[in-house]
Amino acid sequence: QVQLVESGGGLVLPGGSLRLSCAASGGTFNGYTTGWFRQSPGQEREFVAALRWTEGSTHYKNTVKGRFTISRDRAKNTVYLQMDRLMPEDTAVYHCVAANSRLIVSRLMDGDNYDYWGQGTQVTVSS
């Protein structure tokens, strides 16, 4: 069973950058759909980005397009979320997710379609 090990959160000034990492432990991401969700206090969890591991195709929440980049390192079985030009409204707990199949576009943004969740890492954007 795959376990997701996240790292890279922290406190950053508005306009700054952070990179989150998510490594697969106990398995590989071959054939998986991987991604990131986030949740702020009192808010519903929301989709941020997804990457289909085999083909490398990516999808983003509209408000992060052009600022966030999801990518993978096949050799390290790790998925990354590079976050640039961060804004206070990006503050949330970010969770790495993985589904053991290739999800079609209409299923990417529903967290219930992912089989594995990381423990979450806090990202705080504040001056």
Side-chain angles (χ1 to χ4, degrees):
Q1 179 163 340
V2 171
Q3 291 185 317
L4 306 179
V5 181
E6 301 156 343
S7 60
L11 172 65
V12 64
L13 293 172
S17 298
L18 280 174
R19 188 176 79 156
L20 306 182
S21 301
C22 174
S25 174
T28 70
F29 283 139
N30 291 337
Y32 279 49
T33 301
T34 58
W36 295 89
F37 279 69
R38 67 187 182 188
Q39 188 165 22
S40 304
Q43 302 293 319
E44 296 285 322
R45 70 187 179 192
E46 61 177 6
F47 168 81
V48 177
L51 179 148
R52 297 193 187 95
W53 191 262
T54 300
E55 68 210 57
S57 59
T58 58
H59 297 269
Y60 296 92
K61 175 182 173 62
N62 283 340
T63 57
V64 308
K65 281 181 182 177
R67 299 189 298 122
F68 291 11
T69 303
I70 188 170
S71 63
R72 69 187 187 303
D73 184 322
R74 290 179 180 270
K76 295 181 179 179
N77 266 309
T78 299
V79 61
Y80 302 98
L81 185 68
Q82 176 67 40
M83 304 184 291
D84 298 317
R85 291 185 281 137
L86 282 159
M87 302 186 291
E89 47 265 49
D90 294 317
T91 295
V93 175
Y94 284 69
H95 294 270
C96 177
V97 297
N100 58 10
S101 64
R102 182 187 183 280
L103 296 179
I104 59 176
V105 171
S106 62
R107 296 174 64 84
L108 287 173
M109 290 179 281
D110 184 348
D112 289 343
N113 293 321
Y114 293 85
D115 304 291
Y116 305 102
W117 286 71
Q119 78 282 3
T121 185
Q122 177 70 47
V123 171
T124 303
V125 185
S126 175
S127 55

